[in-house]
Amino acid sequence: MDDRTDRLVSRARSVIPGGAQTGLRAQAYELGDIAFEAAEGATLTTVAGESLTDYHLAFGPVLLGHGHEAVDAAAKAAIDSGVLYGAATTELEVEVAERLVDLLPSVELVNFCNSGSEATYHAIRLARAHTGNEKILKFEGCYHGWHDYVDVSVYPPPAELDERNRSTDAGPELDPYPESDGMLSAAVDSTVVVPFNDPDALRAAMERHGDDLAGVILEPVPHSVGCLRPTDPFLDALEAETDARDVPLVFDEVITGFRHSAHGMQAELDVTPDLTCVAKAMGNGYPVAAVGGRADLLAQAGGDHESGVVISGTYSGSPMGLAAARETLDIVEAEDVPERVGALGDRYREGLGDLLDDHGIEGRVVGYGSIFSVQFGVTGEPRDYGDVAGLDGDRFREFAAGMRERGHFFTPNPYKRHHLSLAHTDDHLAAYLDDADEVLAGLSA
């Protein structure tokens, strides 16, 4: 270990809980202390001078690659004109809102914020105000941010799966599992949880709680547990049940938005939600997010003393983030970025799957577009969280450690995912598969 890394991480641990800004970021230390000082294209540089190909990409925002010249230039130009105004509007704010309305089929009005968690928080408040109800229905294995409204039943421990509430009155409903200490019990109790991809469970929960539901929220493709692909019967039930009961359907496209399609996963799946949350790839790493949707829902936050919903934030609509978003969205559409990086993702998945077969290792490679995950100890297409919870986390961490030693960086969390960017090339693919072949050979031995 490099002395500078040792000193820096030690200093971090003395002033920052766990030595990183979040527990998820601190998981990088599981494979040894590490600290970064630069990033360019698909490469991270550590303070020890080590170059690593980045498959983490900050949990996915960096779709065009680190330090994209045009995006950075747009952000810097915005800073030169004015860092923050905090009243009325700007031309840049209007342009990006218009862009989102044009790109996303469901969006008629837009409110900007700074993170995906803020976006889902605002969406749920809008839904509750519209319906006058408080309960939110979510799906096990879907992550919608850190706040009490939804940080429930994302990664229930395997032991919890054997103790699910399957009583006659609750049907296939699941006991809500709070993901954090300190959560408001009333918020947890107001969360209805059902398995993903289970139309019967969805219909039963809607029948039981329909008159009390404020909204239904989901990741259209849950990438917080690798990748679950929604089935047509599930999507049909989702649309039919929410439409029939006038319960707002919220698509959390924080991960999928603009990474899988310039028009969102909603366009790919041909489902029109009532509210949509976007962030991450929208700004290629700059802090920018938005909630958009039906005009009547967003109009509740109009600020005219008759609109009762408060959506606020001093830094919402930051010119720097919006300028980065405008440039990023233009590039995503003009250069068909989702198609290009998605095609590369197909080749990573195919190559990695072949290697698992070659080495006789039980596992699977899942993913969609530019996202992929290798999951050890499980096989078959996963349909819900129960199909993911039994994966072999220890073997994944061994794989992650071996790949990091050979210059490839991704989080050692076995539920998470690899991301690709426009900066990843065929050379990166070849190097990754060559090194994965060597690491997997060691694991099989």
Side-chain angles (χ1 to χ4, degrees), residues 142-214:
C142 288
Y143 176 72
H144 305 295
W146 44 257
H147 53 83
D148 288 6
Y149 285 176
V150 284
D151 196 15
V152 172
S153 297
V154 184
Y155 309 108
E160 290 286 328
L161 302 184
D162 297 329
E163 300 174 7
R164 288 172 165 180
N165 179 6
R166 297 293 188 180
S167 62
T168 303
D169 61 336
E173 226 171 280
L174 309 177
D175 284 333
Y177 178 83
E179 295 288 334
S180 173
D181 292 343
M183 290 179 63
L184 184 67
S185 60
V188 177
D189 293 341
S190 295
T191 308
V192 178
V193 181
V194 296
F196 190 79
N197 263 339
D198 189 334
D200 292 335
L202 172 61
R203 281 189 284 263
M206 294 291 287
E207 177 66 28
R208 186 167 187 244
H209 299 283
D211 292 339
D212 301 317
L213 280 179

Side-chain angles (χ1 to χ4, degrees), residues 299-310:
Q300 296 176 107
D304 56 7
H305 303 294
E306 295 180 5
S307 307
V309 175
V310 174

Side-chain angles (χ1 to χ4, degrees), residues 49-84:
E50 181 184 14
S51 292
L52 299 168
T53 301
D54 187 9
Y55 291 98
H56 180 55
L57 296 176
F59 291 104
V62 189
L63 177 60
L64 306 180
H66 292 286
H68 190 280
E69 185 175 355
V71 176
D72 287 355
K76 290 171 183 174
I79 292 171
D80 289 342
S81 296
V83 173
L84 192 64

Side-chain angles (χ1 to χ4, degrees), residues 313-369:
T314 299
Y315 303 103
S316 297
S318 156
M320 175 188 71
L322 290 178
R326 179 178 61 185
E327 190 67 27
T328 298
L329 294 175
D330 284 349
I331 294 169
V332 164
E333 188 173 29
E335 299 188 20
D336 201 6
V337 174
E339 176 65 28
R340 291 171 60 184
V341 292
L344 187 59
D346 289 340
R347 295 169 63 196
Y348 271 87
R349 283 187 290 274
E350 181 180 1
L352 193 50
D354 288 344
L355 291 176
L356 291 179
D357 291 340
D358 291 345
H359 293 287
I361 294 176
E362 184 181 32
R364 65 188 175 208
V365 183
V366 300
Y368 189 100

